[in-house]
Amino acid sequence: MEKYVMALDAGTTSNRCILFNKKGKICSVAQREFPQYYPRPGWVEHDANQIWATQISVAVEAMQKINAEASQIVSIGITNQRETTLVWDKETGEPIYHAIVWQCRRTAEYCDSLKAQGLLEMIREKTGLLIDPYFSGTKLKWILDHVSDARQKAEAGQLLFGTVETWLIWKLTKGRVHVTDYSNASRTMMFNIHTLKWDTDLLKLLDIPEQMLPTPKPSSCIYGYTDASFLGAQIPIAGAAGDQQCALFGQACFDIGDVKNTYGTGGFLLMNTGNHPVVSQNGLVTTIAWGLHDEITYALEGSIFVAGAAIQWLRDEMRLIESSVDSEYYAKKVHDTNGCYVVPAFTGLGAPYWDPYARGMIIGLTRGVNKNHIIRATLESMAYQVNDVIRAMEADANVSLGQLKVDGGACANNLLCQMQTDICRAPVLRPKCVETTAMGAAYLAGLATGYWQDQEEIRANWQLDKLFTPVMTLDQSKKQIAGWKKAVARCRNWAKE
Ligand SMILES: Nc1ncnc2c1ncn2[C@@H]1O[C@H](COP(=O)(O)OP(=O)(O)O)[C@@H](O)[C@H]1O
Ligand SMILES: O=P(O)(O)OC[C@H](O)CO
């Protein structure tokens, strides 16, 4: 009977389970969306129990779809929306508050106060990160400060903190294992990416009791075994990494300088920088890509908060399209945006601007601008944002981009891929399997359990679907980018009192 590695991909809007075989082929998929909560403008929450319930249900469903038995699952890899912050009671297992999602801006003012204290360099030096509400540390502090008795209980050792992979591992092992992996830990603003330990200075600054934090581990190792009641047997959980780091791994970006961009809800461009962290001078963050075979691989990352989510906004809020796929059809009805720009700064701007007070904008409107132009401008905004990050990365790493591997839901859009190569002037490569995030998690779990022998075997599984190269003139591309920069400048600081 065929053996599989199970990848659990816990995303921002949906949870997925994919079963992969040795060739990296998808043998079964199940996916389920879960509710998003927006209790106040700029706030985003999830219900941790709903994350768990949807994740375990898709795992069961993916197995049922191909009648796979538990004995056929050699190991499980988990990949997840990063930074999202959960706190639960150690005894009852009940979350004490909704999960605060990475997109949530509620700690913007507190972050301002940290910046005003001149802590930017110290935090960057230890964590590789900038000070922004995006990262988990200030979200965790918010929960401890605002949920009644939370700090007191945390100090008494009654509460546990985790990002989503920690929560899922804890649930799958019925509360036996409380761990995180280095890549997820590196997104918390509490973890020292050089010593690979929780940083006591930062914990003191944020007033976080260390006993509530999970044990940091490599991204490929056996963390524990699933309780047999869930999937029918005790299965090793042997891989875990943040979704963007997993996509880098799944794209076989194993060499220094390899770059991928994922166009999902957000957009995330990562460059492998090898065993040495590169410090950004241009608004990027330094992050741990993965810990594997006793080695740490670092990456430079540009995180764009809204990419595919802007297409969802066209669909759900503006009702200009019925499905995301339609965006290509309408955008192709016009040759350009007729001078219109959409800046989708709905939750502020991430890299390389880091402005939590920026807000979305449509600019350049004239009477000739129609629905198709606005849809086209929204698609183009993804390409411009990615280009901004590429230029920052080139400056930081002192290289020019050779090629860009792409993945994520929106990369199915051929027009978007063409826009991307036209704007950034590098070849854009789309692989046959764009489920690179889940694939990366499966590879990490499969390497730990001997299903795959080494990274060379994984590299051989990567196959090109389509190559995109520039057709737009360089002059035209420069002109459009100049317009984009002007538009971005106008939306900065909008929500600041
Ligand atoms: N053909 C398309 N053109 C443009 N955007 C798309 C297309 N298909 C999907 N998307 C966008 O991609 C996103 C979904 O990608 P996915 O990788 O599943 O996201 P996530 O993992 O963040 O939940 C959605 O925001 C959706 O609007
Ligand atoms: O859920 P995704 O794929 O949009 O990824 C979210 C990121 O991990 C946030 O940092």
Side-chain angles (χ1 to χ4, degrees), residues 84-98:
T84 296
T85 300
L86 295 83
V87 179
W88 64 95
D89 187 291
K90 202 173 176 174
E91 287 306 314
T92 65
E94 272 310 300
I96 63 158
Y97 190 78
H98 269 177

Side-chain angles (χ1 to χ4, degrees), residues 13 16 264-265 308-309 311-312 324-325 327 408-410 413:
T13 56
R16 238 172 297 197
T265 307
I311 306 299
Q312 279 169 330
S324 300
V325 178
S327 60
N413 190 311

Side-chain angles (χ1 to χ4, degrees), residues 49 62 112 131 145 182 186 194 196 233 258 261 279 310 331 347 367 400 414 438 479 481:
N49 282 325
D112 285 348
I131 298 174
D145 287 345
Y182 296 146
S186 75
H194 313 285
L196 306 180
D258 285 353
N261 185 65
V279 178
T347 54
R367 293 217 30 197
S400 51
N414 287 321
K479 205 168 133 202
I481 293 168

Side-chain angles (χ1 to χ4, degrees), residues 9 11-14 16 31 102 243 262-266 307-313 315 324-328 379 382 407-413 416:
D9 180 356
T12 308
T13 56
S14 72
R16 238 172 297 197
Q31 177 170 7
W102 58 276
D243 53 7
T262 301
Y263 304 85
T265 307
I311 306 299
Q312 279 169 330
W313 169 77
R315 184 193 66 190
S324 300
V325 178
D326 294 347
S327 60
E328 184 166 359
L379 273 178
M382 284 196 248
D407 53 56
C411 87
N413 190 311
L416 169 64

Side-chain angles (χ1 to χ4, degrees), residues 410-427:
C411 87
N413 190 311
N414 287 321
L415 180 61
L416 169 64
C417 294
Q418 188 57 46
M419 286 170 169
Q420 190 64 75
T421 185
D422 281 334
I423 296 297
C424 79
R425 317 303 296 176

